[in-house]
């Protein structure tokens, strides 16, 4: 008995201390699990919303598939889920994790072929990816990252996939790909969303939109959201002109409300 | 030879050989069979061992395959995946090949073959599914690939492992079974060998038993017959009709019996004659034995007598030596006085010519007597083994020159010429003792020479690395029959009647001394022409000899010439013997500037030395309360006498005594009888102021 109390008491004390510290955040923050490509613009909108409603917003930025798996396995707790592909959103709906009525597609995106900012490489046609000019092609992991899925879809649709497959290198999420591509050699290209080029990359070609499904973003409230009202209010705020403008400026194409 | 004749050897050997051949045949058959079955069993064990090895290889390859496949699934780069794909293909091929080997190797083992076929089927299925997974992974459909892989790992891999394990167990079991089979086979064989061995042994014993029994029976028959024959039974014919060696023996015995009968008759007559002879002989032998016993008894008695006589003679000889030794000591003391006073008289200028002659006679006689005493002492010391001989390298030339100098005056007296050829060489000997011997021989050569004769001293090479020193005189020579007695003690031949002085033991001493130095001594002589005495000693061959320079005992080096405080001119003499005191007194009376102080015992002497501070101290060694050495250390310890010359004065006159004295700290050593001249030299060296007499 003596030994038990001796070891257990400090542990308990530490736990209660942490609980006190975390209390304000767990209680009043809105948590959004968002696809990487949207995080930057979403935080701008979130800032606007926070200022108006006095609510602090937390973001969990990962690839859409990873977020979906995390939410499914309860590894992540969030109020809102933002996916970069319809596929993952459908999956979440099927799993019954989303409030189906709350789901909508606020914006769409464009896929581009990009190179490092100072690379001399130029491409005039999509088919040139199969030529000797391009030796490496970075795409997102088709399994988890929608921008990779769209890229593979486009290459398959144009019958280029079998030819270029040996040049493919996949990355888990879009920010990682952008970083690696910015440091790559002049014979390397990457396929990613127009919205995620950043300062290190420049687009050399827009992927013909006919080659892949429309790139719509889907957002919805999770069923087990802790802050249901705040989440509903934030989703409504996204439909406002003010919020749409932020995404428009960032390169997204706002869908008609 | 008779066809029915069967020798004993054949009777025994043939059945034995048959038994042996049969055992050999059976043993060979069994061992061949054993070899065959061991070959089978071990072949099976080897196959099983190979299978275990193959299964292990397969298992290892599969583990590697899965690890690489997982890497492939995780890879993000097409090039990397391509490499991994190649590797995986190789592994797949290896595993499949092992499967084929197993099929071929176990074609005949139906129980195993089922399992092997099942394993190959499972492997084929596994690889087909894995190829699909790898295709998905290569197409960057990692999610789907992972999902399929998981399914394969869950559904296909465990049964595969089970089949592998079951095959392995099967192989292990068959190895174990082979081992057991081998053990059983070995045990069976052991039993068989035992049975065979015992059976063969029993058969051999039976054969031997039967043979021996028959043989014994026949031998008994012969024996029984012989017995009867020996005891004079009827001489019926011995019957043994079998055609073999024993049969031959029987025939031979029969013919012998006839011959014996004849011989017996002759013998009986001879025996009667012999018995007569024997009784005569017995009588003669008995009387001879008695005579012999008597003789033996007498020999024994004589031996005992002789032993007793020899013991007595030896005892007497010992007693003689001891007596001589003691007597000599006793004699030396009075001799001191006689010689001392004679010397004093000699230098007394008041004596007339007749008196001087008389004194000379006294001195000469006493000198001779002293020599005799000394030599007797020497001999007894040598005989009792109390003499020390220290052998060292010696230069021969200076030694002989010294001898010549010593004997020169003696030779001149008789007008004898000393000649000789002496070579430079070195020999091993005791310097003092060798000198003594040479002096003895040389003085003999002069003494027993004719007036105006010649003495030759030569060195010659001797035998065995030795040097011979020969001393030849031109005297009368020694007759051959007397030569052998020369080296016996107290045998002066016929010299007793002559006027020549001599002790008669000089040659004996010389012989003993030379022998102690590992040398030899000898002589030859021609009567009427002269004699040659020679000694031989070991020579030193090495040329780089550095002579042992002994510290010379020169009086001048001992610091006697100390400057004395003025007015102190006394000489202290400490001795318990009044005769010696008076002698010294008379010597010192010649020096008026010297005052002699005397002390009769050691303590008195020490007191006087401290009180009077003498210029010189004469100190007797042998005193009752405290000996000279003790007095010396007392005196040296006191400031009175640290620089004072202290002279030992002792009857102990051996070289080692003198050396001991000098080593102890005496400035010089005077021997008794007193050498007056030596004492006078010492006094004169004190450099005392001259005072008119």
């Amino acid at each position: 008995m003596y030994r038990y109390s001796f070891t257990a008491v400090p542990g308990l004390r530490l736990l209660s201390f942490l609980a006190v510290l975390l209390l304000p955040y767990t209680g009043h923050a809105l948590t959004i699990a968002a696809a990487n490509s949207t995080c930057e613009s979403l935080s701008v909108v979130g800032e606007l919303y926070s200022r108006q409603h006095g609510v602090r917003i937390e973001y969990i930025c990962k690839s859409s598939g990873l977020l979906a798996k995390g939410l499914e396995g309860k590894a992540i707790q969030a109020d809102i889920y933002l996916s970069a592909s319809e596929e993952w959103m459908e999956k979440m709906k099927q799993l019954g994790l989303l409030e189906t009525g709350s789901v909508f597609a606020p914006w769409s995106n464009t896929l581009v072929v990009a190179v490092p900012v100072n690379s001399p490489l130029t491409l005039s046609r999509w088919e040139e990816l199969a030529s000797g000019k391009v030796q490496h092609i970075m795409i997102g992991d088709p399994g988890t990252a929608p921008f990779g899925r769209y890229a593979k879809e486009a290459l398959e649709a144009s019958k280029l996939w079998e030819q270029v497959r040996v040049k493919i290198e996949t990355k888990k999420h879009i920010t990682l790909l952008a970083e690696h591509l910015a440091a790559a050699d002049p014979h390397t290209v990457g396929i990613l969303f127009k919205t995620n080029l950043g300062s290190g990359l420049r687009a050399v070609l827009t992927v013909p939109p006919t080659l892949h499904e429309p790139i719509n973003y889907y957002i919805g409230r999770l069923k087990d959201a802790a802050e249901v009202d705040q989440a509903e209010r934030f989703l409504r705020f996204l439909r406002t002109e003010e919020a749409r403008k932020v995404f428009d400026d960032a390169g997204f194409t706002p869908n008609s409300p | 030879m008779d066809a029915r004749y069967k020798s004993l050897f054949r009777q025994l050997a043939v059945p034995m050989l048959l038994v042996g051949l049969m055992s050999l045949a059976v043993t060979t058959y069994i061992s061949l069979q054993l070899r065959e079955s061991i070959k089978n069993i071990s072949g099976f064990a080897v196959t099983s061992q190979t299978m275990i090895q193959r299964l292990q290889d397969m298992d290892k390859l599969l583990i590697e395959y899965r690890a690489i496949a997982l890497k492939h699934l995780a890879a993000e780069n097409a090039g990397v995946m391509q490499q991994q794909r190649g590797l995986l293909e190789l592994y797949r091929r290896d595993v499949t090949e092992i499967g084929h080997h197993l099929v071929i190797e176990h074609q005949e083992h139906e129980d195993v073959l089922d399992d092997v076929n099942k394993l190959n089927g499972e492997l084929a299925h596994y690889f087909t599914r894995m190829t699909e997974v790898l295709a998905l992974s290569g197409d960057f459909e990692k999610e789907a690939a992972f999902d399929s892989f998981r399914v394969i790992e869950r559904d296909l891999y465990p049964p595969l492992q089970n089949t592998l394990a079951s095959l392995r167990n099967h192989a292990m079991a068959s190895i174990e079974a082979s081992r057991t089979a081998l053990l059983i086979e070995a045990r069976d064989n052991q039993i068989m060998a035992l049975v065979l061995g015992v059976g063969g042994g029993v058969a051999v014993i039976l054969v031997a038993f039967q043979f021996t029994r028959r043989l014994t029976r026949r031998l008994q028959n012969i024996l029984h017959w012989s017995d009867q024959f020996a005891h004079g039974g009827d001489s019926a014919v011995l019957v043994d009709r079998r055609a073999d060696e024993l049969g031959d023996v029987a025939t031979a015995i029969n013919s012998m019996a006839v011959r014996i009968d004849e011989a017996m008759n002759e013998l009986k007559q001879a025996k009667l004659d012999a018995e007569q002879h024997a009784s005569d002989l017995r009588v003669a032998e008995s009387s001879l034995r008695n005579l012999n016993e008597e003789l033996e008894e007498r020999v024994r008695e004589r031996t005992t007598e002789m032993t007793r006589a020899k013991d007595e003679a030896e005892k007497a000889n010992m007693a003689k030596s001891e007596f001589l030794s003691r007597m000599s000591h006793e004699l030396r003391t009075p001799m001191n006085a006689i010689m001392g006073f004679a010397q004093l008289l000699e230098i007394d200028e008041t004596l007339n010519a007749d008196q001087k002659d008389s004194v000379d006679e006294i001195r000469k006689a006493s000198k001779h007597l002293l020599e005799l005493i000394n030599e007797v002492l020497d001999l007894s010391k040598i005989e009792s083994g109390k003499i020390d001989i220290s052998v060292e390298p010696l230069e021969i030339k200076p030694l002989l020159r010294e001898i010549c100098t010593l004997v020169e005056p003696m030779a001149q007296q008789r007008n004898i010429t000393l000649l000789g050829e002496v070579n430079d060489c070195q020999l091993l000997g005791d310097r003092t003792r060798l000198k003594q011997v040479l002096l003895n021989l040389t003085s003999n050569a002069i003494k027993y020479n004719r007036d105006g004769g010649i003495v030759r001293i030569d060195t010659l090479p001797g035998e065995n690395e030795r040097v011979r020193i020969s001393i030849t005189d031109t005297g009368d020579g020694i007759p051959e029959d007397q030569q052998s007695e020369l080296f016996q003690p107290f045998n002066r031949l016929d010299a007793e009647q002559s006027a020549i002085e001599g002790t008669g033991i000089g040659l004996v001493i010389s012989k003993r001394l030379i022998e102690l130095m590992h040398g030899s001594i000898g002589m030859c002589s021609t009567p009427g022409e002269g004699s040659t005495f020679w000694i031989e000693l070991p020579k030193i061959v090495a040329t780089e000899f550095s002579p042992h320079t002994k510290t010379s005992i020169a009086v001048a080096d001992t610091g006697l010439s100390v400057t004395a405080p003025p007015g102190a001119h006394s000489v202290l003499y400490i001795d318990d013997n009044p005769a010696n005191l008076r002698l010294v007194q008379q010597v010192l009376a010649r020096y008026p500037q010297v005052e002699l102080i005397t002390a009769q015992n050691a303590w008195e002497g020490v007191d006087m030395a401290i009180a009077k501070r003498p210029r010189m101290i004469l100190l007797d060694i042998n005193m009752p309360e405290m000996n000279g050495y003790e007095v010396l250390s007392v005196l040296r310890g006191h400031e009175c006498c640290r620089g004072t010359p202290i002279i030992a004065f002792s009857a102990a006159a051996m070289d080692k005594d003198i050396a001991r004295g000098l080593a102890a700290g005496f400035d010089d050593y005077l021997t008794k009888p007193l050498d007056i001249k030596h004492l006078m030299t010492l006094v004169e060296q004190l450099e005392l102021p001259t005072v008119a007499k």
Side-chain angles (χ1 to χ4, degrees), chain A residues 161-239:
Chain A
W161 177 247
E162 287 305 321
Q163 293 173 56
V164 302
R165 202 171 63 181
V166 290
K167 303 179 184 178
I168 299 290
E169 202 179 315
T170 57
K171 293 290 168 219
K172 289 281 180 219
H173 59 81
I174 201 156
T175 44
L176 198 64
L177 188 140
E179 252 171 56
H180 277 260
L181 186 58
D185 64 50
H187 302 291
T188 304
V189 300
I191 301 174
L192 70 167
F193 291 135
K194 184 180 150 194
T195 51
N196 291 79
L197 288 176
S199 55
L201 302 175
R202 71 182 168 85
V204 287
L205 196 74
T206 304
V207 180
T210 51
L211 293 178
H212 56 79
E213 289 287 312
I215 307 165
N216 276 319
Y217 287 83
Y218 294 87
I219 195 162
R221 180 173 67 80
L222 287 156
K223 270 190 176 160
D224 58 351
E227 302 287 333
V228 179
D229 290 348
Q230 286 292 347
E232 290 293 343
R233 203 172 296 153
F234 183 75
L235 288 179
R236 276 201 300 276
F237 181 70
L238 282 181
R239 294 174 195 264

Side-chain angles (χ1 to χ4, degrees), chain A residues 69 141-144 149 152 161 165-166 168-170 172, chain B residues 74-79 82 135 138-143:
Chain A
K69 285 175 183 177
D141 178 0
T144 49
R149 168 62 54 206
K152 190 184 172 197
W161 177 247
R165 202 171 63 181
V166 290
I168 299 290
E169 202 179 315
T170 57
K172 289 281 180 219
Chain B
E76 296 179 330
N77 189 300
Q82 221 166 13
D139 212 28
F140 293 98
E141 295 302 335
K142 302 290 185 187
E143 281 299 310

Side-chain angles (χ1 to χ4, degrees), chain A residues 63-130:
Chain A
S63 74
S64 309
L66 220 57
L67 286 172
K69 285 175 183 177
L71 289 166
E72 183 192 349
K74 309 285 181 202
I76 299 171
Q77 288 287 328
D79 300 307
I80 294 167
Y81 172 57
L82 169 54
S83 168
S85 79
E86 188 180 5
E87 187 192 341
W88 285 113
M89 189 49 91
E90 281 307 310
K91 208 163 183 181
M92 291 292 278
K93 276 184 189 168
Q94 276 165 24
L95 289 169
L97 294 173
L98 276 168
E99 197 61 56
T100 319
S102 67
V103 178
F104 72 106
W107 335 275
S108 60
N109 209 334
T110 313
L111 215 52
V112 293
V113 178
V115 294
V117 149
N118 46 11
S119 167
L121 188 69
T122 53
L123 292 178
S124 49
R125 291 187 306 117
W126 170 245
E127 284 74 18
E128 273 184 302
L129 283 178

Side-chain angles (χ1 to χ4, degrees), chain B residues 5-291:
Chain B
Y5 190 89
K6 273 171 84 181
S7 80
L8 289 173
F9 173 74
R10 265 176 69 194
Q11 288 176 37
L12 179 65
V14 170
M16 286 247 191
L17 203 67
L18 281 175
V19 170
L21 281 175
M22 265 167 66
S23 318
L24 195 69
V26 175
T27 315
T28 314
Y29 174 72
I30 289 174
S31 70
L32 281 175
Q33 267 203 329
L34 177 76
R35 211 177 126 193
E36 193 60 31
S37 60
I38 286 177
K39 215 157 90 185
N40 285 341
I41 293 167
S42 65
F44 195 58
V46 167
T47 320
S48 302
Q49 195 67 51
T50 316
M51 178 187 258
I52 290 178
Q53 188 58 50
R54 292 210 189 287
L55 293 175
Q56 269 174 2
D57 289 349
M58 191 183 268
D59 200 27
K60 254 188 246 167
L61 288 171
L62 278 174
I63 288 168
E64 290 277 329
Y65 180 87
R66 283 157 69 219
I68 298 167
L70 266 172
K71 278 185 195 156
H72 188 282
L73 286 175
E76 296 179 330
N77 189 300
V80 173
M81 282 194 290
Q82 221 166 13
Q83 284 175 6
Q84 288 164 340
R85 195 61 204 275
L87 218 56
L88 286 167
E89 193 52 33
L90 281 179
Y91 275 96
R92 188 190 64 78
R93 213 181 304 150
D94 286 351
V95 172
T96 316
E97 205 167 309
I98 291 173
H100 288 324
H101 275 299
L102 286 176
V103 173
I104 292 161
E105 283 162 6
H106 296 276
Q107 207 66 57
E108 288 161 14
H109 309 133
E110 282 178 20
D111 48 341
V112 186
L113 199 59
D114 280 352
D115 267 353
V116 171
N117 284 331
K118 187 178 162 208
L119 176 71
N120 280 339
E122 280 171 351
L123 278 173
H125 187 45
Y126 176 77
F127 282 125
T128 316
R129 289 291 306 276
M130 279 305 285
T131 312
E132 289 166 17
V133 169
L134 294 173
L136 274 176
S137 170
D139 212 28
F140 293 98
E141 295 302 335
K142 302 290 185 187
E143 281 299 310
F146 260 117
D147 288 346
S148 296
F149 183 71
R150 267 185 224 110
V151 171
I152 293 170
E153 281 290 301
R154 193 189 60 208
D155 296 343
L156 293 187
Y157 196 66
L160 189 60
Q161 278 294 314
N162 285 343
T163 314
L164 270 175
S166 119
L167 272 172
R168 194 159 40 227
N169 289 341
H170 199 284
M172 301 273 251
S174 57
I175 285 175
E176 185 57 36
S178 308
R179 215 171 65 87
T180 319
L182 264 179
L183 280 175
I184 289 169
E185 198 74 26
R187 201 193 52 203
D188 286 358
N189 204 51
Q190 248 174 358
I191 292 167
M192 194 73 88
L194 201 68
V195 168
L196 258 179
V198 171
V202 167
V204 166
I205 287 167
L206 279 177
V207 167
F209 181 74
Q210 186 60 29
F211 177 80
T212 318
R213 208 176 54 169
R214 222 166 45 221
L215 201 66
T216 313
R217 212 178 290 144
R218 290 172 63 199
L219 280 172
Q220 272 169 350
N221 182 29
I222 293 173
L223 206 66
H224 181 68
W225 183 89
S226 305
D227 219 29
Q228 276 189 340
F229 183 81
H231 287 89
D234 58 356
S235 44
V237 179
L238 171 65
V239 183
D240 191 330
R241 291 214 180 77
R242 272 182 182 254
D244 58 18
E245 284 88 342
L246 268 183
D248 292 352
V249 168
T251 315
I253 286 177
N254 279 335
S255 57
M256 198 174 73
V258 174
R259 180 78 192 86
I260 286 173
D261 273 344
E262 289 168 12
M264 278 295 274
N265 293 331
E266 288 169 25
L267 253 174
K268 268 174 198 159
Q269 189 51 47
K271 198 183 161 200
L272 287 174
D273 298 349
E275 268 168 10
Q276 187 54 44
H277 278 297
S279 80
D280 293 353
L281 265 173
R282 263 199 299 279
V283 174
E285 195 197 16
S286 137
S287 57
L288 196 68
R289 198 161 41 229
N290 288 344
L291 194 66

